[in-house]
Amino acid sequence: MTTQRTARTLHLAARPHGFPTPDLFTVHEAPVPEPAPGTAVVENLYLSVDPYHREAMDDGGWALGVPLEGRALGRVTASRAPGFAEGDLVLHREGWRTHAVVEPGEGRVRKVPAYDGVPLTAYLSILGGTGLTAYVALTRTLEFRAGQDLFVSAAAGGVGTAVGRIARLLGAGRVVGSAGSPAKVAWLTGELGFDAAFDYHDGPVGELLAKTAPGGIDAYVDNVGGDHLEGAISVLREHGRIAWVGAISQYHSAHEPPAAPRNLFDIVEKSLRLEGVMVRNYGDVQQELEDFLVPHLQSGAVVPDVTVVDGFERTVEGFLGMLRGGNTGKMLIRVAD
Ligand SMILES: NC(=O)c1ccc[n+]([C@@H]2O[C@H](COP(=O)([O-])OP(=O)(O)OC[C@H]3O[C@@H](n4cnc5c(N)ncnc54)[C@H](OP(=O)(O)O)[C@@H]3O)[C@@H](O)[C@H]2O)c1
């Protein structure tokens, strides 16, 4: 059953210089499409807005003047695709729009697994690409073991909160994090159970981290890059490991060489290991993530950490808000109930 007659899509009209502005995006309306043979029409319920979308706004990323892509969760409203029926909930990549035409079999759409008692928002946060990034960074890249001490940057965000929660389940020793406000620091050490946290605006990151983790750390999940990476290199113990997931401190100045880290040779001096993480290389770990986390979600021991912005018309506001740190947990847009 289609609940709306007009479909809206967001396009990128021009590329940003520095921090993006709302006028770079335009909204387009058209009748809700009918499914062609082999396809299904999906009414989107939730959209994911992500830091990689900022990178996609630059040259070589998104094309201008076409509907944008992003992860989304929606309900099938009409189907001529085998195996997909009206009412099915699906995950797909046709975000930044109210309605999508999906073609099963292309690897870009799958049914939402039917786990009782798991909130829908989990599938675009801790059970989605965000949680998978955290899980593979810990279990594959860091080969994280019980008792080890961990630092994670952008700790109050989507990947950061998932890292904190999963590390606890893996038996972490001390878990410390950085975030961009005193409220986030309090939330991390209160609700999220971090042992300590700091606001990276309060001074040089290396000094703040050294005070927060006076005994050093064994492992670091880097969401931020730059001075955070430099600080972690300086505080890591010998044979420590870094899973480099993202560099959000640098996404608005991609053409400028970063000022930090300036201590890369310490990687040699301390026999550290630094490895990049790309979640798209770990699709085969998705089922393992679900087997690991779903019982904890069902028992309530783990909850999806999300900030939900209501209304398709507020998608760009939510996206820019996430880039500014307006979210705790994963930033999602609720398009429909
Ligand atoms: N490699 C992969 O496969 C992969 C997959 C998913 C995500 N990622 C990366 O993981 C990181 C986190 O992604 P996410 O989706 O979970 O986003 P997120 O952490 O939920 O949101 C971004 C956060 O970045 C922080 N931030 C913004 N500017 C910053 C700056 N200059 N310095 C330090 N922190 C800053 C903000 O929090 P504060 O208020 O704390 O500043 C904001 O909440 C990003 O770097 C992203 O690109 C990589």
Side-chain angles (χ1 to χ4, degrees):
M1 182 186 61
T2 300
T3 55
Q4 293 174 32
R5 291 178 172 201
T6 304
R8 286 174 288 167
T9 54
L10 271 159
H11 299 191
L12 183 67
R15 305 211 181 272
H17 302 283
F19 198 92
T21 46
D23 57 294
L24 299 173
F25 296 88
T26 50
V27 181
H28 297 258
E29 294 193 350
V32 171
E34 294 294 327
T39 72
V41 174
V42 173
E43 183 178 26
N44 284 333
L45 305 180
Y46 287 95
L47 310 179
S48 173
V49 287
D50 291 88
Y52 82 85
H53 291 143
R54 171 63 190 88
E55 297 177 270
M57 295 179 78
D58 289 332
D59 284 338
W62 281 331
L64 300 181
V66 297
L68 305 178
E69 66 76 41
R71 283 175 289 138
L73 187 155
R75 185 188 297 112
V76 174
T77 54
S79 178
R80 296 176 71 186
F84 284 78
E86 198 177 313
D88 283 351
L89 291 172
V90 294
L91 292 156
H92 62 89
R93 304 288 308 216
E94 313 299 322
W96 296 77
R97 66 197 82 185
T98 57
H99 297 75
V101 178
V102 297
E103 192 171 350
E106 60 187 8
R108 288 168 67 92
V109 56
R110 71 181 177 111
K111 285 192 195 172
V112 173
Y115 297 118
D116 288 339
V118 172
L120 273 191
T121 54
Y123 297 101
L124 285 178
S125 56
I126 196 160
L127 281 186
T130 300
L132 186 61
T133 304
Y135 185 74
V136 300
L138 286 164
T139 62
R140 302 308 198 266
T141 315
L142 297 177
E143 297 175 319
F144 192 72
R145 294 190 302 280
Q148 290 189 325
D149 298 325
L150 176 77
F151 170 49
V152 56
S153 52
V159 173
T161 51
V163 165
R165 289 191 184 275
I166 295 170
R168 276 281 174 253
L169 296 173
L170 295 172
R174 282 191 99 236
V175 178
V176 304
S178 65
S181 71
K184 286 188 178 184
V185 167
W187 184 69
L188 287 170
T189 53
E191 188 132 342
L192 266 285
F194 277 56
D195 294 287
F198 64 88
D199 180 345
Y200 61 82
H201 297 106
D202 285 348
V205 173
E207 290 175 21
L208 296 168
L209 178 58
K211 276 188 210 148
T212 309
I217 53 172
D218 300 301
Y220 172 47
V221 178
D222 188 11
N223 287 313
V224 172
D227 54 355
H228 273 80
L229 180 53
E230 180 174 305
I233 290 170
S234 70
V235 171
L236 273 158
R237 298 181 184 129
E238 282 211 2
H239 302 287
R241 291 186 177 195
I242 301 166
W244 195 353
V245 167
I248 196 159
S249 66
Q250 295 162 13
Y251 293 164
H252 309 299
S253 52
H255 302 298
E256 295 163 26
R262 295 160 297 182
N263 57 351
L264 278 178
F265 194 69
D266 286 359
I267 290 178
V268 178
E269 297 280 355
K270 295 206 268 184
S271 301
L272 305 180
R273 193 168 111 178
L274 181 156
E275 188 178 328
V277 181
M278 278 312 297
V279 68
R280 64 168 176 252
N281 296 328
Y282 292 96
D284 59 332
V285 185
Q286 177 66 34
Q287 189 57 52
E288 181 184 318
L289 171 76
E290 293 175 20
D291 293 345
F292 178 75
L293 277 180
V294 164
H296 298 290
L297 284 158
Q298 289 173 326
S299 74
V302 170
V303 293
D305 300 300
V306 291
T307 296
V308 178
V309 170
D310 267 308
F312 178 76
E313 63 284 357
R314 296 180 64 203
T315 302
V316 172
E317 177 191 330
F319 169 58
L320 301 182
M322 176 277 299
L323 293 178
R324 280 192 206 96
N327 56 312
T328 49
K330 179 77 188 80
M331 182 64 105
L332 299 177
I333 312 299
R334 181 161 39 210
V335 179
D337 284 331

